[in-house]
Amino acid sequence: MTAPVLEVAGLCAGYGSLTAVSGVSLCVAPGEVVALFGPNGAGKTSTLLATVGVLPRNAGRVHWNGVPAPKSLHTFTRAGLAFVPEQRSTISSLSVLDNLRLGRGTVELALEYFPELADHLHRPAGLLSGGQQQILMLARALAGRPRILLVDELSMGLAPLVVERLLGVVRRAAEEDGLGVLLVEQQMRRALSVADRWYLLSHGKVAAQGDAHESGGAVLEEAYLESMGITQSVA
Ligand SMILES: Nc1ncnc2c1ncn2[C@@H]1O[C@H](COP(=O)(O)OP(=O)(O)OP(=O)(O)O)[C@@H](O)[C@H]1O
């Protein structure tokens, strides 16, 4: 197996006395799309935040290309990380063009990934629809040619076709540029269609993991229901 671009081992993090992430270990290889699933409150967002250095780690380690990852988001981003958080982080008063210019890559490359943004370059980002803003965020992230992309709930509130388009571009970037992707996603079937592997989080721990192409998602669905205390009746 190719050496991982991202390796998280025994990660623990939380908020005051609340433990949200409890010994999570996972890895992502170059060119691999890895999905992180789990019920609400399972610790998915907290795992991403602690991995990128936004949420302090109480224990565990994060390695990047075989060496300890930078501890702050800013330095990690300069080293080759792109993080697209759950909340849309466009600067709404700036134009789409200026939002793209704030990124680490060129506007031209951003438009190669998402040509549809060309029609909106001079509009304030705040006037874009939710889907268009997600496209802008992803375009800006990918244009920086990151080595690893962490994305939190890309599909939140978006039309199915937009979600497919976004996930399709992420898959292409993994295949063509060797980008490693860790994707938090509630839409399991859509995410499985572009993922190579998955992890299931439950109560801050990895409850199961598997190959995205195996068993059409049945193993994941069963583990997911089990993590919520629901057992499927056998017909
Ligand atoms: N800022 C915060 N302060 C205190 N507790 C928090 C904070 N953010 C999250 N938590 C708690 O940490 C736990 C994990 O939350 P987290 O957002 O990581 O879960 P999640 O799997 O991403 O959930 P969802 O799918 O609903 O977004 C939950 O119990 C949540 O209530």
Side-chain angles (χ1 to χ4, degrees):
M1 183 184 163
T2 323
V5 62
L6 179 74
E7 196 175 7
V8 172
L11 186 68
C12 297
Y15 307 88
S17 60
L18 186 139
T19 301
V21 183
S22 181
V24 167
S25 298
L26 55 84
C27 64
V28 181
E32 190 182 39
V33 178
V34 176
L36 190 57
F37 298 118
N40 294 122
K44 304 177 297 294
T45 295
S46 304
T47 296
L48 292 195
L49 294 177
T51 299
V52 302
V54 170
L55 183 64
R57 299 168 204 152
N58 297 333
R61 61 180 175 81
V62 177
H63 270 54
W64 142 263
N65 284 328
V67 298
K71 285 213 163 54
S72 79
L73 176 61
H74 178 65
T75 343
F76 205 166
T77 303
R78 280 183 24 206
L81 164 88
F83 176 46
V84 178
E86 199 171 3
Q87 312 79 12
R88 288 172 189 139
S89 50
T90 52
I91 300 182
S92 50
S93 58
L94 290 183
S95 68
V96 169
L97 183 61
D98 286 339
N99 268 276
L100 289 175
R101 284 179 176 148
L102 285 177
R104 300 187 53 76
T106 65
V107 173
E108 288 70 27
L109 187 53
L111 294 179
E112 262 180 48
Y113 280 112
F114 291 104
E116 57 265 61
L117 285 176
D119 290 340
H120 304 284
L121 284 179
H122 302 289
R123 294 180 69 197
L127 295 187
L128 298 183
S129 71
Q132 288 167 333
Q133 290 194 37
Q134 283 299 70
I135 287 173
L136 172 56
M137 284 298 80
L138 192 57
R140 190 169 81 182
L142 290 174
R145 289 199 183 282
R147 304 319 309 148
I148 179 92
L149 171 70
L150 270 60
V151 194
D152 198 354
E153 301 241 18
L154 204 51
S155 66
M156 184 93 97
L158 301 186
L161 277 179
V162 178
V163 178
E164 259 160 46
R165 168 111 179 89
L166 292 167
L167 290 177
V169 172
V170 166
R171 177 77 235 173
R172 208 185 80 205
E175 274 170 18
E176 294 178 2
D177 306 329
L179 176 69
V181 181
L182 182 60
L183 195 72
V184 165
E185 191 48 71
Q186 288 291 0
Q187 295 199 13
M188 284 196 325
R189 289 191 181 280
R190 285 217 162 75
L192 278 183
S193 73
V194 298
D196 298 293
R197 288 188 302 117
W198 54 267
Y199 293 90
L200 174 70
L201 283 194
S202 173
H203 303 290
K205 295 180 164 61
V206 174
Q209 54 184 295
D211 184 322
H213 309 296
E214 247 171 39
S215 74
V219 174
L220 170 62
E221 272 177 35
E222 201 179 315
Y224 197 107
L225 291 172
E226 205 179 302
S227 76
M228 295 194 302
I230 302 168
T231 35
Q232 277 175 314
S233 58
V234 181

